[in-house]
Amino acid sequence: MAARKRILFVINPISGGRRKNAFKKQVLAALDLEKFDPTFQQTTHANHARELALDAIQEKYDAVIAVGGDGTINEIGSALVGSNVPLGIVPEGSGNGLALYLGIPMNEAAAIRRINKFETVDVDCGEINKHKFFNIAGLGFDASVSESFANDTIRGPLGYLKSIINVLSKYKPKVYKLVIDGQEYERQAFMISVANSPQYGNNAYIAPHASINDGILDVCIVHKFPLYILPMMVFHLFNRSTDQSDYVEIIPGKHIQIQTDDSNIVHIDGEPLELSNELEITIQSKSLQVIC
């Protein structure tokens, strides 16, 4: 009889605003324990998920499962890139953009049962000033929203909506200089999203035709628009038709440089980070295995 695969569940206890006290019991009920030997760890601080994933590589685990949102997935995925240890996902975040794109069930038990098949796909990894991302990185309005959301006590979609309203009332577009695969652009933009997958989460699609394993990033430039257009912009997001908006420009590329007049708040898979005024973005093709 083959040895059971050792898999580590890394649990973010605060992601998505949902308690996870019964998660271990759920795993023991849904996971095929004849095939898998599960271990459980909870994160306690920023970057803890990444530290646990790095330890799991050294300890010869067969997979690391992110129990959280896109931020938790990012920490673990960043550690696993280039290794032969796959990433699994049990979606427990506010948006769950990557999991939705990959077709991973939002139901906890169903997502755990999906792991039993242990089927993997190779996905691309973006890098922005050496910080890895797997879903979307961005600057401008959406980065400001991520910063506001990170500092709020209300989690989940309601907290995200509150952050959007707060930032929208005072946000002003900026001028960006871009070089995409050698071609120069200058744009006054409301925001710029660099998409490896099509959606932020909650089925809000900023780059409807992006693919997570085509070796290309979609640079989505949302131009300055009058406020009365906002309902239509929201419609495009949830109708998978942002590419049809007169205020959205999508340019594919592999090597992207973005320059502004001052430092940038950037979101990396939804987590805010302050970076310099010069951003260099590249892609590593099919560098991470994901169980899906």
Side-chain angles (χ1 to χ4, degrees), residues 203-216:
N203 294 312
Y205 285 76
I206 184 65
H209 303 295
S211 169
I212 207 160
N213 49 19
D214 63 355
I216 295 172

Side-chain angles (χ1 to χ4, degrees), residues 63-89:
V64 181
I65 314 300
V67 185
D70 287 327
T72 307
I73 292 166
N74 179 282
E75 286 192 24
I76 295 172
S78 295
L80 299 182
V81 161
S83 76
N84 61 356
V85 180
L87 163 74
I89 301 171

Side-chain angles (χ1 to χ4, degrees), residues 14 28 66 72 82-83 86 103-104 108 116-118 147 191 194 197 200 253 269:
I14 63 171
L28 296 178
T72 307
S83 76
I104 294 170
E108 197 174 72
N116 290 329
K117 298 180 180 180
F118 214 75
E147 183 183 34
M191 66 184 195
V194 182
S197 88
Y200 292 118
D269 287 339

Side-chain angles (χ1 to χ4, degrees), residues 136-145 160 171-174 176 178 187-194 200 205-206 219-225 233 237 242 247-249 258 267:
I136 295 175
L139 58 161
F141 176 75
D142 59 347
S144 296
V145 170
Y160 206 77
Y171 184 77
K172 294 181 180 179
K174 294 181 179 179
Y176 300 91
L178 304 94
R187 299 288 188 267
Q188 184 180 42
F190 184 70
M191 66 184 195
I192 298 176
S193 294
V194 182
Y200 292 118
Y205 285 76
I206 184 65
V219 183
C220 307
I221 304 168
V222 179
H223 298 284
K224 181 180 178 182
F225 59 86
M233 299 295 285
L237 272 176
T242 49
Y247 296 94
V248 178
E249 180 180 10
I258 303 175
H267 83 81

Side-chain angles (χ1 to χ4, degrees), residues 206-267:
I206 184 65
H209 303 295
S211 169
I212 207 160
N213 49 19
D214 63 355
I216 295 172
L217 296 166
D218 281 18
V219 183
C220 307
I221 304 168
V222 179
H223 298 284
K224 181 180 178 182
F225 59 86
L227 196 57
Y228 71 84
I229 294 293
L230 182 60
M232 181 56 69
M233 299 295 285
V234 173
F235 170 80
H236 281 307
L237 272 176
F238 289 96
N239 195 46
R240 304 189 187 191
S241 57
T242 49
D243 56 326
Q244 297 175 28
S245 169
D246 293 337
Y247 296 94
V248 178
E249 180 180 10
I250 300 178
I251 306 169
K254 295 183 177 181
H255 184 198
I256 300 126
Q257 295 165 291
I258 303 175
Q259 184 175 2
T260 57
D261 289 338
D262 49 21
S263 61
N264 290 295
I265 297 295
V266 177
H267 83 81

Side-chain angles (χ1 to χ4, degrees), residues 61-211:
Y61 274 85
D62 295 291
V64 181
I65 314 300
V67 185
D70 287 327
T72 307
I73 292 166
N74 179 282
E75 286 192 24
I76 295 172
S78 295
L80 299 182
V81 161
S83 76
N84 61 356
V85 180
L87 163 74
I89 301 171
V90 177
E92 296 278 6
S94 300
N96 302 309
L98 189 62
L100 283 165
Y101 172 75
L102 291 170
I104 294 170
M106 293 297 105
N107 175 273
E108 197 174 72
I112 296 165
R113 286 194 296 270
R114 190 74 161 261
I115 296 166
N116 290 329
K117 298 180 180 180
F118 214 75
E119 296 174 350
T120 64
V121 61
D122 293 334
V123 307
D124 301 337
C125 169
E127 281 197 352
I128 178 166
N129 287 18
K130 303 301 182 183
H131 295 275
K132 293 177 173 60
F133 66 95
F134 304 95
N135 196 46
I136 295 175
L139 58 161
F141 176 75
D142 59 347
S144 296
V145 170
S146 293
E147 183 183 34
S148 173
F149 181 64
N151 293 323
D152 204 333
T153 56
I154 302 174
R155 309 308 295 170
L158 186 63
Y160 206 77
L161 179 62
K162 178 187 172 188
S163 295
I164 289 172
I165 293 169
N166 287 344
V167 173
L168 189 61
S169 64
K170 54 192 174 185
Y171 184 77
K172 294 181 180 179
K174 294 181 179 179
V175 173
Y176 300 91
K177 294 179 180 178
L178 304 94
V179 181
I180 303 174
D181 291 347
Q183 181 69 43
E184 296 183 5
Y185 305 85
E186 183 170 315
R187 299 288 188 267
Q188 184 180 42
F190 184 70
M191 66 184 195
I192 298 176
S193 294
V194 182
N196 189 36
S197 88
Q199 65 161 293
Y200 292 118
N202 295 312
N203 294 312
Y205 285 76
I206 184 65
H209 303 295
S211 169

